[in-house]
C-alpha cells in the first residue's frame, strides 16, 4: 500500500507526474480507485502537476429497490461524484466518470426509457447536475471486456452511444466497441454529428418524451435524439430536422 499522507511519497509522485508531462508528453490523469484515498490528496497531485484534464474513478453501488432494479432517484449516488469534484476544486481540471448515468442507462434501454428523465425533468445522472464535470461512458475495461463486471446490454450498445454522444458531459468511447465490435462507422457518424453541431459538455438538454418505449430529447436546439422501438415520432420532430444517423432502436436528427 502507498501512504499518500507521507510527504515524501507526495513529493516523489508529483515529480513523477511532472516528468510524465514534460518528458513523455502526457497531459491528463486518470485516478484509479479514487475511493481509496481522499479528495484532499487527489487535489495535491492535480494542483502540483497542473494537467489539462483529470478524471477520477469513483465506483459505488447505486441505490436499489426490492425488485432488484435501481431506484428512480439516485441523488445520493451522483452527489458523491459532485462532492469529490467540489473538494478537489470545481474550477480546475478535475472531473469524474459518470457512473450514475452508466447505471441508469444500463437498465433504461431494456424497455424502461422513462428512467432517463429525473424527477426534476433533467437527466438523472451526474450530467443532470454538473455536466461540465461528468465523463460519460457506455462500458470500460472493468464493466465490459473480459472482466464483464457490469456490462451494458450487448445488443443495445449503440443506443448507449446515441445517448452519450449527443448529450452534455464529456463522452468516452470504449476501445473494444470501436475496434473489436465492428461499430466504428456507426460511432463515427455520431461523433461527426456532435462535432459538426458543436455539442459540448455544457450543452442545453431538453427532454421531450421519456416513456417505456421512447426517449426523445433536443440538445442546443440543433440535434434531436430518439431511443427506443417506437417509430411514430414524426409529429414530435420540428420542421427542418433531417436524419443524420440511425441504427437499431435509435435515430439522430
Amino acid at each position: 500500500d502507498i501512504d499518500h499522507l507521507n510527504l515524501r511519497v507526495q513529493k516523489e509522485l508529483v515529480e513523477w507526474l511532472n516528468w510524465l508531462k514534460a518528458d513523455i508528453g502526457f497531459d491528463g490523469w486518470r485516478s484509479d480507485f479514487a475511493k481509496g484515498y481522499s479528495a484532499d490528496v487527489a487535489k495535491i497531485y492535480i494542483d502540483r502537476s497542473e494537467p489539462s484534464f483529470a478524471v477520477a474513478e469513483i465506483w459505488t453501488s447505486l441505490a436499489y429497490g426490492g425488485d432488484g432494479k435501481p431506484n428512480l432517484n439516485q441523488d445520493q449516488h451522483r452527489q458523491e461524484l459532485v462532492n469529490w469534484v467540489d473538494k478537489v476544486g470545481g474550477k480546475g481540471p478535475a472531473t469524474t466518470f459518470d457512473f450514475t448515468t452508466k447505471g441508469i442507462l444500463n437498465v433504461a434501454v431494456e424497455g424502461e426509457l422513462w428512467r432517463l428523465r429525473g424527477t426534476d425533468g433533467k437527466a438523472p445522472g451526474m450530467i443532470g447536475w454538473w455536466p461540465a464535470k461528468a465523463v460519460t461512458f457506455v462500458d470500460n475495461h472493468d464493466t465490459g471486456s473480459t472482466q464483464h463486471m457490469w456490462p451494458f446490454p450487448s445488443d443495445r450498445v449503440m443506443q448507449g452511444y446515441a445517448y452519450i454522444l449527443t448529450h452534455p458531459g464529456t463522452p468516452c468511447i470504449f476501445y473494444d466497441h470501436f475496434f473489436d465490435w465492428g461499430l466504428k462507422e456507426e460511432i463515427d457518424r455520431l461523433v461527426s454529428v456532435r462535432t459538426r453541431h458543436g455539442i459540448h459538455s455544457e450543452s442545453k438538454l431538453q427532454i421531450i418524451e421519456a416513456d417505456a418505449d421512447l426517449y426523445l430529447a433536443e440538445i442546443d436546439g440543433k440535434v434531436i435524439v430518439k431511443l427506443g422501438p417506437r417509430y411514430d415520432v414524426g409529429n414530435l420532430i420540428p420542421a427542418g430536422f433531417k436524419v443524420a444517423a440511425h441504427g437499431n432502436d435509435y435515430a439522430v436528427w
Side-chain angles (χ1 to χ4, degrees):
D1 290 350
I2 297 175
D3 180 6
H4 287 284
L5 297 179
N6 183 297
L7 295 181
R8 180 181 172 185
V9 168
Q10 292 178 7
K11 177 176 178 291
E12 292 185 355
L13 275 174
V14 168
E15 288 174 353
W16 178 65
L17 291 171
N18 283 315
W19 172 77
L20 286 173
K21 264 183 68 183
D23 288 21
I24 308 301
F26 285 97
D27 60 359
W29 315 133
R30 175 190 179 277
S31 297
D32 191 52
F33 191 65
K35 292 190 301 177
Y37 45 93
S38 72
D40 295 327
V41 167
K43 177 176 172 58
I44 291 170
Y45 297 139
I46 291 171
D47 286 352
R48 295 180 188 175
S49 62
E50 298 183 339
S52 60
F53 181 75
V55 59
E57 179 201 41
I58 303 165
W59 185 359
T60 56
S61 178
L62 298 180
Y64 288 88
D67 59 359
K69 292 185 177 181
N71 295 337
L72 178 61
N73 186 322
Q74 296 292 338
D75 286 357
Q76 186 176 347
H77 192 269
R78 56 181 172 170
Q79 186 66 56
E80 187 174 354
L81 303 178
V82 166
N83 288 348
W84 189 91
V85 175
D86 261 334
K87 288 180 181 177
V88 173
K91 293 182 179 179
T95 65
T96 64
F97 286 112
D98 190 350
F99 277 94
T100 318
T101 290
K102 152 72 173 167
I104 293 169
L105 202 53
N106 265 24
V107 181
V109 297
E110 301 274 31
E112 299 182 3
L113 291 165
W114 49 266
R115 291 178 176 276
L116 296 179
R117 175 158 54 194
T119 52
D120 57 2
K122 299 179 181 180
M126 188 182 177
I127 59 170
W129 279 1
W130 203 355
K133 296 297 184 177
V135 176
T136 52
F137 66 103
V138 174
D139 264 327
N140 63 28
H141 62 286
D142 289 321
T143 67
S145 195
T146 54
Q147 298 202 64
H148 227 60
M149 291 180 180
W150 200 28
F152 203 85
S154 60
D155 58 337
R156 301 171 196 268
V157 160
M158 283 308 305
Q159 286 188 59
Y161 281 110
Y163 184 88
I164 69 170
L165 289 171
T166 57
H167 277 53
T170 302
C172 287
I173 297 167
F174 186 36
Y175 181 100
D176 292 25
H177 293 157
F178 196 73
F179 291 106
D180 300 338
W181 285 38
L183 301 177
K184 182 179 186 297
E185 287 186 15
E186 260 191 284
I187 292 172
D188 268 341
R189 274 195 293 275
L190 292 170
V191 171
S192 68
V193 169
R194 185 180 185 88
T195 304
R196 190 163 63 246
H197 294 286
I199 305 302
H200 55 88
S201 64
E202 296 182 87
S203 285
K204 183 184 177 185
L205 172 66
Q206 180 194 355
I207 299 171
I208 302 168
E209 290 282 345
D211 297 325
D213 62 344
L214 172 67
Y215 172 79
L216 193 71
E218 186 174 305
I219 301 88
D220 284 347
K222 299 175 182 177
V223 171
I224 294 176
V225 60
K226 184 214 82 160
L227 305 182
R230 195 191 301 179
Y231 284 103
D232 56 335
V233 297
N235 61 315
L236 298 173
I237 308 298
F241 279 83
K242 295 181 180 180
V243 175
H246 65 88
N248 185 27
D249 287 347
Y250 79 89
V252 177
W253 289 263

